[in-house]
Amino acid sequence: MTYIFPAPETASVAIVGNGDRFPVHRIYCIGRNYLAHIQEMGNDERQPPFFFQKPLDALLPSGGEFPYPPGSENVQHEVELVVAIGKGGVNIAVEDALDHVYGYALGFDMTRRDLQEKAKKGGKPWEAAKAFDFAAPIAPIRPASEIGHPSDARIWLAVNGEVKQDSTLDLQIWNVPEGISHLSKLFEVKAGDLIYTGTPAGVGAIKPGDVMIGGIDGIGEMKITVV
Ligand code: MN
C-alpha cells in the first residue's frame, strides 16, 4: 500500500526528564471552569462543563513562535492545566479518574475572541475561534509518577513581564477527576488524549511582538513569542 502523498507524522509532546514522547490521540478542552473567568465573560455560572476539540496540528511546543492568525483582531491568551491521559475508558467514576492520568503539562488555549463572540451570538460552532493553526501551545509533560496530582498549585501567565492571569488550581469548578469523568460519559477517553482544563480570569488580547510566559508551580513554565 502506498500513500498518494506523505502521511502526517504522529503528533506528540515532549516528556520532561528523558527523550520519550507522548503520542497524542485527541485534544479536548473544557469551557468555563473558573468562576471568575465565567463572570468576566458574562456567562451563566450554573452551567455544567462542556467540551470542544482542537486539531492535532494546533500543538505548538514551548519556546516556539505563535503566528498571529488571520481573520481576527482580538486574539487572546488562556493559560490552562493540561491533563495527559495514559489509560482509556468510558463512564469513568470520579474516584477512579486519576488512575487514567499519565501526567500534566502547561498549555495555552489561544482564542480568536471576536470570532468566538460572533459564533456565540449566532449559535454557531467555535471552530474558527478555537481550532486554528498553532492554537494549542503546550509545554513538556511531567509524569504523575514523579509529581503526583497537583490540585491547588498556582497557575499564572504574564505578557511582556506583566502578570495578567494569576490563580490556583483549586478554584476550578470541575476538578481534574470530575472533568475526566464527565468527558468519559460523552466520548471514549483514550491513551494519548490531552485535556485543556479551562482558564482562570484575566484573559486578554495579544499582538505580534508580545512574549507570553506562563507557569504552574510544580509542573513547569512555557514561553511563546507572538510573531
Ligand atoms: Mn480555554
Side-chain angles (χ1 to χ4, degrees), residues 4-83:
I4 58 165
F5 48 80
E9 278 178 37
T10 300
S12 66
V13 178
I15 297 169
V16 174
N18 58 41
D20 292 346
R21 297 188 65 85
F22 180 91
V24 181
H25 170 246
R26 285 183 185 171
I27 305 170
Y28 294 102
C29 304
I30 302 178
R32 297 173 196 162
N33 202 19
Y34 290 80
L35 188 57
H37 175 58
I38 292 174
Q39 290 167 339
E40 77 177 347
M41 301 300 293
N43 289 315
D44 186 342
E45 300 164 11
R46 295 159 299 177
Q47 291 289 321
F50 66 93
F51 302 92
F52 57 92
Q53 291 188 46
K54 292 183 185 252
L56 298 182
D57 57 3
L59 292 170
L60 174 66
S62 179
E65 295 185 336
F66 172 80
Y68 196 93
S72 174
E73 291 174 356
N74 187 2
V75 177
Q76 298 197 351
H77 55 77
E78 297 189 357
V79 65
E80 309 201 358
L81 169 71
V82 181
V83 178

Side-chain angles (χ1 to χ4, degrees), residues 63-113:
E65 295 185 336
F66 172 80
Y68 196 93
S72 174
E73 291 174 356
N74 187 2
V75 177
Q76 298 197 351
H77 55 77
E78 297 189 357
V79 65
E80 309 201 358
L81 169 71
V82 181
V83 178
I85 297 291
K87 187 177 86 173
V90 290
N91 293 318
I92 298 167
V94 171
E95 56 268 31
D96 299 331
L98 292 182
D99 297 340
H100 295 260
V101 174
Y102 170 77
Y104 297 92
L106 171 70
F108 297 164
D109 167 15
M110 299 306 296
T111 302
R112 291 197 274 214
R113 192 72 71 201

Side-chain angles (χ1 to χ4, degrees), residues 117-137:
E117 295 301 331
K118 255 187 229 165
K120 282 184 190 171
K121 285 199 183 96
K124 290 179 176 160
W126 284 14
E127 256 72 14
K130 291 289 198 178
F132 55 92
D133 294 344
F134 308 105

